[in-house]
């Protein structure tokens, strides 16, 4: 038996008027999930423990079977693992986004966060800017590491786990009250703006109608993670297929394999075929028992507040991932179980994550169930099946 998770990051949502009061998941054309849903167990699962912040970090830890209340030590340390940052026990890892701040206002604290992703700037361009900041601000206490696109890492040696605000939670708002209380971190953010605002690369970006990447924004501080081995915990060899450093980092920390897929970028036009192939190869040729396919696009489209693109990201998940994946697994002759779910909702109305429960679909190629329900928030809710502790859901996938 082979086991697969297909996770649509931020895929869950609320009923939306322009979609006839349906959610994007219920509205989207999803022929493959519609077919499978009638042969699957449907239910709701609480991935985010009550009281914890809704994020891809806590939620994906839970879906992989790690109780976030026990294993979560901050977001950035997990990402640091994936980019190979050598963390000491006394180090604090901090996510360093390069964001777009408004440029009109004089006073730094009066500026607004216009875009947490600087128009999803490329890793190459962002590395040039981060190197400029590093030249002027790095020392033996503060070290910068290049990640992916706008997502990078700062290591603070001998630091503290200070409370910081995620930029995608305050889009459009003045930054004053959200700046770090720590004087040095605050100073470095303001200095980074002075270094980047007139950088030639940003002058060029503005000319091309792209948001300038003009400020380092620090958040998601945490200590070195201590995840137990996934294989020891489940008896299964697992492979992670994701473009996002956070997921790769969780996999590295859990001792899972990490597939490298050319052109996988966490966007709407990622390399879907390459991700499916990597998962099927791992399961049918490389001796893996479990594959975790993570798709970032629905979350990004939720943060952008774009209904049309969120619907399209779900349709792509269905036709470019679920369809080909099931077809290839059926052709391989392997029995398999497939779990499809989001990690948390990212409703387009609020443009950020919520801690609400999410719908799941559990398909078994050897013994399908029979009913007429489709896979969406409302119908999964109507089944009455509810997994209160999200980190236990994977036990259903691996159940014999
Ligand atoms: Zn997420």
């Amino acid at each position: 038996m082979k086991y697969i998770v297909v996770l649509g990051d931020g895929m869950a949502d609320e009923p939306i008027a322009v979609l006839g009061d349906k959610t994007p998941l219920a509205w989207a054309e999803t022929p493959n999930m519609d077919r499978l849903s009638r042969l699957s167990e449907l239910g709701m699962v609480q991935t985010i423990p009550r009281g914890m912040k809704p994020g891809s970090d806590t939620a994906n830890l839970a879906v992989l079977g790690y109780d976030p209340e026990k294993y979560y030590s901050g977001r950035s340390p997990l990402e640091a693992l994936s980019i190979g940052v050598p963390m000491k026990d006394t180090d604090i890892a901090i996510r360093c986004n390069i964001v777009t701040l408004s440029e009109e206002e004089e006073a730094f604290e009066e500026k607004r966060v216009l875009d947490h992703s600087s128009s999803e700037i490329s890793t190459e361009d962002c590395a040039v800017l981060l190197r400029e900041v590093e030249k002027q601000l790095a020392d033996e206490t503060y070290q910068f590491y290049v990640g992916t696109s706008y997502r990078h890492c700062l290591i603070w040696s001998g630091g503290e786990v200070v409370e910081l605000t995620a930029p995608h939670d305050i889009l459009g708002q003045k930054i004053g009250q959200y700046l770090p209380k720590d004087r040095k971190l605050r100073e470095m953010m303001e200095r980074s703006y002075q270094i980047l605002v007139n950088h030639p690369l940003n002058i060029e970006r503005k000319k091309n109608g792209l948001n300038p990447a003009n400020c380092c924004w620090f958040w998601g501080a945490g200590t070195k993670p201590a995840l137990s081995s996934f294989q020891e915990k489940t008896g299964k060899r697992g492979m992670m297929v994701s473009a996002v450093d956070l997921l790769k980092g969780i996999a590295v920390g859990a001792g899972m394999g990490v597939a490298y897929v050319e052109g996988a970028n966490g966007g709407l036009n990622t390399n879907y075929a390459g991700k499916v192939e990597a998962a099927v190869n791992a399961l049918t040729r490389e001796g893996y028992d479990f594959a975790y396919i993570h798709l970032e696009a629905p979350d990004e489209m939720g943060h952008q507040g774009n209904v049309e693109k969120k619907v399209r990201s779900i349709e792509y998940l269905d036709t470019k991932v679920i369809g080909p994946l099931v077809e290839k697994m059926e052709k391989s002759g392997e029995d398999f179980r497939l779990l499809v779910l989001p990690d948390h909702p990212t409703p387009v109305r609020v443009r950020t994550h919520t801690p609400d429960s999410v719908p799941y679909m559990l398909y078994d190629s050897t013994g399908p169930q029979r009913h007429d329900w489709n896979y969406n928030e409302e119908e999964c809710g109507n089944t009455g099946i509810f997994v209160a502790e999200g980190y236990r859901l994977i036990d259903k996938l691996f159940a014999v």
Side-chain angles (χ1 to χ4, degrees):
M1 178 70 85
K2 299 293 181 179
Y3 304 90
I4 309 163
V5 168
V6 172
L7 190 127
D9 203 303
M11 183 164 68
D13 209 308
E14 308 159 339
I16 299 173
V18 289
L19 301 180
D21 288 328
K22 286 187 171 181
T23 66
L25 189 52
W27 175 270
E29 293 287 322
T30 56
N32 297 292
M33 290 198 281
D34 294 352
R35 180 177 75 80
L36 293 178
S37 70
R38 296 182 187 134
L39 310 170
S40 300
E41 174 185 306
L42 300 179
M44 298 295 282
V45 55
Q46 185 62 48
T47 52
I48 311 281
R50 295 214 176 286
M52 284 189 96
K53 260 193 310 188
S56 302
D57 39 14
T58 44
N60 281 282
L61 276 175
V63 175
L64 274 165
Y66 293 91
D67 179 358
E69 287 177 316
K70 190 170 156 202
Y71 288 101
Y72 181 64
S73 70
R75 179 190 185 117
S76 184
L78 293 167
E79 294 170 338
L81 275 178
S82 84
I83 52 179
V85 174
M87 269 189 87
K88 300 193 291 295
D89 293 348
T90 52
D91 285 345
I92 300 296
I94 295 176
R95 162 72 87 83
C96 171
N97 276 41
I98 304 218
V99 302
T100 307
L101 293 186
S102 53
E103 296 186 351
E104 302 76 51
E105 306 82 356
E106 262 322 294
F108 185 63
E109 49 279 356
E110 294 296 311
K111 295 183 180 301
R112 297 167 187 275
V113 178
L114 301 180
D115 180 354
H116 67 284
S117 75
S118 301
S119 301
E120 293 182 52
I121 185 172
S122 72
T123 304
E124 296 64 43
D125 283 357
C126 218
V128 171
L129 299 171
L130 191 69
R131 293 269 170 259
E132 204 54 48
V133 170
E134 186 183 30
K135 251 190 275 169
Q136 302 191 37
L137 300 183
D139 58 24
E140 66 284 353
T141 307
Y142 300 96
Q143 296 286 313
F144 292 86
Y145 293 85
V146 174
T148 305
S149 180
Y150 58 87
R151 310 174 182 97
H152 306 286
C153 182
L154 171 71
I155 293 292
W156 177 13
S157 295
E160 291 163 56
V161 178
V162 289
E163 191 59 37
L164 299 167
T165 302
H168 53 250
D169 285 342
I170 55 167
L171 289 167
Q173 297 183 50
K174 277 190 185 166
I175 62 174
Q177 61 176 306
Y178 301 110
L179 292 169
K181 302 285 176 289
D182 177 86
R183 190 184 49 74
K184 180 68 184 176
L185 290 180
R186 191 195 175 300
E187 251 172 44
M188 285 206 290
M189 281 171 65
E190 184 162 0
R191 286 278 292 113
S192 75
Y193 177 80
Q194 290 151 3
I195 295 165
L196 297 177
V197 65
N198 295 317
H199 190 284
L201 204 152
N202 278 328
I203 306 294
E204 194 60 28
R205 290 181 68 76
K206 282 185 267 186
K207 260 196 233 130
N208 301 331
L210 295 168
N211 287 333
N214 59 18
C215 189
C216 290
W217 188 278
F218 302 138
W219 63 287
T223 53
K224 191 176 177 182
L227 298 180
S228 53
S229 151
F230 184 84
Q231 186 162 5
E232 276 163 31
K233 204 160 73 69
T234 65
K236 309 279 187 302
R237 271 189 79 212
M239 172 64 85
M240 174 61 70
V241 183
S242 174
V244 174
D245 285 338
L246 169 69
L247 276 294
K248 293 178 193 172
I250 292 174
V252 170
M256 293 169 66
V258 177
Y260 174 75
V261 178
E262 181 78 35
N265 58 16
L268 197 49
N269 299 311
T270 189
N271 181 357
Y272 295 99
K275 294 180 101 169
V276 170
E277 195 177 335
V280 173
N281 279 346
L283 295 169
T284 61
R285 291 206 194 99
E286 298 160 14
Y288 284 87
D289 311 295
F290 171 64
Y292 194 95
I293 304 174
H294 170 268
L295 296 150
E296 176 72 3
D299 181 57
E300 278 299 332
M301 301 313 130
H303 285 302
Q304 291 177 16
N306 191 317
V307 176
E308 191 264 329
K309 282 187 174 176
K310 183 155 184 182
V311 168
R312 204 184 320 150
S313 71
I314 295 168
E315 292 178 344
Y316 284 174
L317 181 148
D318 182 81
T319 51
K320 295 174 185 280
V321 176
I322 303 284
L325 174 71
V326 170
E327 194 188 322
K328 287 174 190 288
M329 288 307 294
E330 284 169 351
K331 268 208 195 102
S332 77
E334 294 273 6
D335 294 334
F336 66 99
R337 284 185 160 186
L338 169 64
L339 177 62
V340 179
L341 77 169
D343 50 351
H344 52 71
T346 306
V348 288
R349 180 179 61 81
V350 294
R351 297 184 61 181
T352 190
H353 308 158
T354 71
D356 301 327
S357 60
V358 295
Y360 75 84
M361 171 171 88
L362 177 54
Y363 171 73
D364 184 326
S365 70
T366 65
Q369 301 197 8
R370 301 215 171 282
H371 53 71
D372 292 334
W373 292 322
N374 286 317
Y375 173 58
N376 57 56
E377 295 85 345
E378 189 189 354
E379 295 183 66
C380 287
N382 293 343
T383 66
I385 298 176
F386 179 61
V387 179
E389 293 171 314
Y391 69 90
R392 296 187 188 285
L393 179 64
I394 202 163
D395 300 340
K396 273 180 180 270
L397 177 67
F398 293 151
V400 285

